[in-house]
Amino acid sequence: MSGVCLFISGQNSSLLSKIAKELEGQLLERDIAVEFIDIDKEEILLDLTKEKKLEIVIHFCKLFVRNNISLILKSDDIKIKDIIDIKKKILITDRRDIPYAEVLVSSDIKDSVINIIKTLEHLNFIKRLEGSSYSNEEDIKVQERLRGLGYIE
């Protein structure tokens, strides 16, 4: 499978870091090449403007995905609108899409990671493991959410 950019963004930085690290561990257990970058703590990004950080994030996404490495990016500053802008810039400069997923998380780390994994499986970003499928009710909810976000028709 090719790499995917997964942005984790929100107000609770500590919780999001724990989710990102747990997710990284789960993906590594599946032999998926993955890197976690905390944009707000990465030394080379600390003193940069938000625009410059986004420019570097775009470069990270292109570089990692092109080399079949998934990238988990966590930030308190980068919001959904910024992520959409990142996708547009990549489409304009490379004329190809960079796969990424948007998943709502809860305060429960384990449930959040399970939801992220299931969404990545559903979008065929990662291989579905035996026994990790959704119930019919969950599948309908996921499809409605993905359709609402424009990922599927």
Side-chain angles (χ1 to χ4, degrees):
M1 304 233 109
S2 64
V4 61
C5 284
L6 180 64
F7 292 88
I8 297 178
S9 177
Q11 299 299 316
N12 190 336
S13 183
S14 172
L15 174 67
L16 297 175
S17 290
K18 289 175 185 174
I19 290 170
K21 288 179 183 181
E22 177 66 24
L23 177 62
E24 179 185 33
Q26 294 282 329
L27 294 175
L28 287 170
E29 283 180 17
R30 292 174 176 229
D31 292 326
I32 295 172
V34 62
E35 289 292 330
F36 167 54
I37 297 174
D38 187 332
I39 295 168
D40 303 323
K41 293 183 180 175
E42 189 64 38
E43 194 171 318
I44 62 168
L45 301 174
L46 286 179
D47 295 327
L48 301 178
T49 64
K50 184 176 179 178
E51 290 73 27
K52 191 66 177 171
K53 284 181 186 181
L54 289 171
E55 186 179 317
I56 292 171
V57 164
I58 290 167
H59 179 72
F60 283 159
C61 288
K62 291 192 290 190
L63 180 67
F64 280 70
V65 171
R66 182 176 59 227
N67 289 287
N68 293 327
I69 301 169
S70 293
L71 185 59
I72 302 169
L73 296 159
K74 184 230 138 222
S75 176
D76 302 333
D77 293 336
I78 295 178
K79 305 295 179 224
I80 297 299
K81 179 196 171 304
D82 301 319
I83 295 166
I84 292 167
D85 290 344
I86 289 170
K87 280 185 61 76
K88 285 179 186 173
K89 286 178 184 177
I90 292 171
L91 279 168
I92 290 167
T93 59
D94 282 15
R95 298 200 168 131
R96 67 185 181 95
D97 201 3
I98 294 291
Y100 87 101
E102 175 190 340
V103 182
L104 296 175
V105 296
S106 69
S107 59
D108 185 302
I109 294 167
K110 197 171 208 169
D111 283 347
S112 294
V113 170
I114 289 169
N115 287 337
I116 293 168
I117 294 283
K118 285 183 176 184
T119 301
L120 294 173
E121 288 174 343
H122 190 76
L123 292 169
N124 293 318
F125 288 159
I126 62 175
K127 288 184 180 179
R128 195 176 298 234
L129 293 182
E130 189 96 9
S132 66
S133 62
Y134 287 115
S135 69
N136 286 340
E137 184 179 295
E138 289 173 319
D139 194 48
I140 291 168
K141 284 182 182 178
V142 169
Q143 287 195 24
E144 286 173 358
R145 174 81 174 138
L146 295 175
R147 197 170 286 111
L149 292 168
Y151 294 129
I152 61 175
E153 292 181 11

